[in-house]
Amino acid sequence: MSIETVVVHPLVLLSVVDHYNRIDKVSSQRRVVGILLGSRRKGVLDVSNSFAVPFDEDEKDSDVYFLDHDYLECMYAMFKKVKREGEDCRMVSHRPEAPL
């Protein structure tokens, strides 16, 4: 089934922008990584929540980065306990050369 419409809740937008602004002030990293949570039904992807994932970039190759898998698994397990029926999990990354 293809996705025809994407609905992003305001909380998700606020969380992504807030995380990006916080990282920009305290780190030289120009990228943020996070998880989007939501559901997909009848061609509509409904993104209702999100969380940031800590990571480190390779000093020699900025295309290589390492996620904190323990944190990711812990947060995913916590969200899974309270998730609504049909919620799914997808990863997104903002690259420095891509428009926000």
Side-chain angles (χ1 to χ4, degrees):
M1 175 184 358
S2 64
I3 296 173
E4 299 172 4
T5 305
V6 177
V7 177
V8 181
H9 292 236
L11 174 65
V12 175
L13 297 173
L14 177 65
S15 294
V16 170
V17 171
D18 180 60
H19 179 65
Y20 181 80
N21 286 332
R22 287 173 188 259
I23 290 298
D24 189 44
K25 291 179 181 176
V26 298
S27 173
S28 62
Q29 291 177 335
R30 300 220 34 232
R31 160 184 6 213
V32 295
V33 176
I35 300 296
L36 298 179
L37 301 168
S39 60
R40 180 176 63 180
R41 287 199 181 101
K42 298 180 182 177
V44 177
L45 178 61
D46 184 25
V47 182
S48 58
N49 213 332
S50 66
F51 63 90
V53 179
F55 73 101
D56 289 317
E57 289 183 354
D58 188 317
E59 293 177 9
K60 297 177 184 172
D61 184 359
S62 65
D63 286 337
V64 176
Y65 54 99
F66 309 97
L67 297 177
D68 184 340
H69 286 275
D70 292 334
Y71 179 84
L72 176 60
E73 289 174 13
C74 180
M75 289 294 289
Y76 181 69
M78 186 172 56
F79 274 98
K80 197 172 182 179
K81 287 180 182 178
V82 297
K83 77 178 183 113
R84 296 180 306 214
E85 184 179 329
E87 275 191 328
D88 200 1
C89 184
R90 301 279 186 239
M91 187 175 92
V92 296
S93 169
H94 167 65
R95 299 187 51 95
E97 61 275 2
L100 186 59

